[in-house]
Amino acid sequence: MDDVRLQELFAPLTVGSLTVRNRFAMAPMTRAASPGGIPGPDVAAYYARRAAGGTGLVITEGIRIPHSAAGWPDRIPNLDGAEVLAGWRAVTAAVHAEGGTIAAQLWHQGAARGVHDGDHPDQEPVSPSGIDLAGNPIGRALRTDELPVLAKAYALAAANARAAGFDAVEIHGAHGYLLDQFLWEHTNHRTDGYGGSLAARTRFPAEVVAAVRAAVGPAFPIIFRFSQWKMNRYDAQVAGSPQELEQLLAPLVEAGVDVLHPSTRRHYLPAFADEDPQLSLAGWTKKLTGLPVVAVGSVGLETEFNPGAGSGPIPPSPIDRLLDQFDAGEFDIVAVGRALLADPAWVNRVRDGKLDGFGGFDAASALGSLY
């Protein structure tokens, strides 16, 4: 591995009020380890270990925004209430003590919340059109007059995150959850100005961004995570071309996004092979917007996650292709998921040239911890 090229991944990056010590982030991965929605000392220790291991930016697991139908189960943390915020202050302090920075991922599951025994009436799933990712009826469609209220819930979560010591927020608009349900034509059948064209489908996510920006001020960084693929459709596309991708991203940027986080399953695959046989979704995102971009997807692993393989640990992989993409200007930060679950010191191991000592990743242990 080229040590000079590698050193460039350990240069700091500043975005607004945030300065990250290197270009490595911990990808958001759901844990459901906060009973009653309250993060405890174990959560603080979990994230602090990754910061101590060299990770520059920790992006938390999805955190439920203050909305009754935001998510399930209640072991997923939330971002409202004195006890909850005290728990998050302990988390952010622990990460800062290890030299890291931390962003809170704001999450509403929408129709993906599902229906469960013991639900209250106000926990009925809500979504753009009252259908799930497969097109089946579930819950109800959001009324137009409810959308500003929901945007305010995102804004409140962001303001609470800033008050709890977070350095940034990431708005989860990927993988088939609420905001992605607005973006994707298969889950958004609305006729009220929030559905139809790609520009109209982007309207509510952009309004959420604008509300968050108003709540946190001009310098506090906002990251927006989006994806083509969905939980049940790896071949799905919100944008079928670079032109459509630009239509998707431009309103989000105008509304106040500072950093874009295109989620892919494999960071090295081309996004639009007919247009460019190599340029990744991260690369296209940076090319079209000029904003800092987070790349992600099977970084440091020989293959993508395959929970049904039953073949034991996934071997580690060199990051030479990642370095090539960084040299080409395709991304500014790289998010690492499963490798950091397996080894909290993975970033320091990369820095010290000891990646060969990493014993691989047991795919079975990651079930329920990818998103």
Side-chain angles (χ1 to χ4, degrees):
M1 188 181 299
D2 188 326
D3 290 342
V4 174
R5 291 205 302 160
L6 183 61
Q7 287 175 10
E8 294 175 353
L9 282 174
F10 287 87
L13 176 70
T14 297
V15 179
S17 60
L18 169 70
T19 296
V20 184
R21 62 184 171 185
N22 59 41
R23 305 307 180 92
F24 291 94
M26 181 177 185
M29 292 172 286
T30 292
R31 303 180 66 233
S34 298
I38 304 167
D42 56 323
V43 176
Y46 169 80
Y47 287 123
R49 282 196 296 273
R50 276 72 194 177
T55 302
L57 174 65
V58 169
I59 306 174
T60 70
E61 61 209 277
I63 303 174
R64 290 177 292 154
I65 65 170
H67 184 264
S68 57
W72 181 90
D74 66 2
R75 297 186 304 278
I76 292 171
N78 61 46
L79 250 173
D80 194 28
E83 190 174 2
V84 170
L85 296 186
W88 283 123
R89 288 188 187 96
V91 173
T92 59
V95 169
H96 292 155
E98 298 294 350
T101 57
I102 183 166
Q105 190 189 69
L106 312 183
W107 191 26
H108 193 301
Q109 296 172 4
R113 182 198 182 277
V115 177
H116 306 278
D117 290 342
D119 283 352
H120 301 294
D122 62 355
Q123 292 177 308
E124 181 183 20
V126 293
S127 62
S129 302
I131 56 175
D132 64 17
L133 296 180
N136 301 312
I138 187 170
R140 63 177 180 85
L142 284 157
R143 301 188 310 272
T144 305
D145 65 348
E146 292 180 289
L147 298 182
V149 176
L150 197 49
K152 288 180 181 178
Y154 277 96
L156 175 59
N160 286 346
R162 184 175 185 180
F166 283 97
D167 303 291
V169 291
E170 175 172 279
I171 299 172
H172 196 337
H175 304 159
Y177 295 112
L178 180 67
L179 296 184
D180 194 26
Q181 291 160 23
F182 273 89
L183 295 173
W184 196 33
E185 63 182 348
H186 293 284
T187 46
N188 184 344
H189 300 167
R190 298 178 74 95
T191 59
D192 62 352
Y194 289 91
S197 69
L198 183 54
R201 300 198 308 271
T202 308
R203 180 179 171 186
F204 180 60
E207 289 177 355
V208 168
V209 172
V212 169
R213 173 56 67 207
V216 299
F220 193 75
I222 299 173
I223 308 167
F224 192 93
R225 193 176 214 209
F226 70 97
S227 68
Q228 299 272 41
W229 65 276
K230 316 302 168 201
M231 289 177 283
N232 67 334
R233 286 278 303 277
Y234 291 146
D235 62 344
Q237 286 190 318
V238 175
S241 67
Q243 293 74 28
E244 290 187 350
L245 181 62
E246 187 170 24
Q247 292 175 41
L248 167 70
L249 298 178
L252 301 173
V253 174
E254 184 178 356
V257 167
D258 298 294
V259 180
L260 288 159
H261 186 176
S263 177
T264 59
R265 297 177 68 226
R266 306 177 214 179
H267 67 88
Y268 46 83
L269 291 184
F272 307 106
D274 291 342
E275 297 279 347
D276 188 303
Q278 289 191 320
L279 197 61
S280 66
L281 186 59
W284 275 110
T285 299
K286 188 166 180 64
K287 179 178 180 177
L288 293 170
T289 68
L291 289 186
V293 169
V294 181
V296 69
S298 300
V299 175
L301 299 175
E302 190 174 271
T303 184
E304 75 277 10
F305 180 58
N306 184 2
S311 55
I314 299 172
S317 174
I319 61 169
D320 299 87
R321 175 68 182 110
L322 187 73
L323 292 173
D324 291 341
Q325 290 174 277
F326 187 66
D327 289 346
E330 292 192 28
F331 67 89
D332 302 271
I333 295 174
V334 57
V336 181
R338 291 159 286 152
L340 276 175
L341 284 184
D343 182 1
W346 185 87
V347 174
N348 283 345
R349 193 183 297 279
V350 170
R351 180 198 64 195
D352 298 338
K354 297 179 179 178
L355 194 60
D356 290 343
F358 174 52
F361 178 77
D362 185 357
S365 69
L367 287 170
S369 300
L370 288 182
Y371 310 117

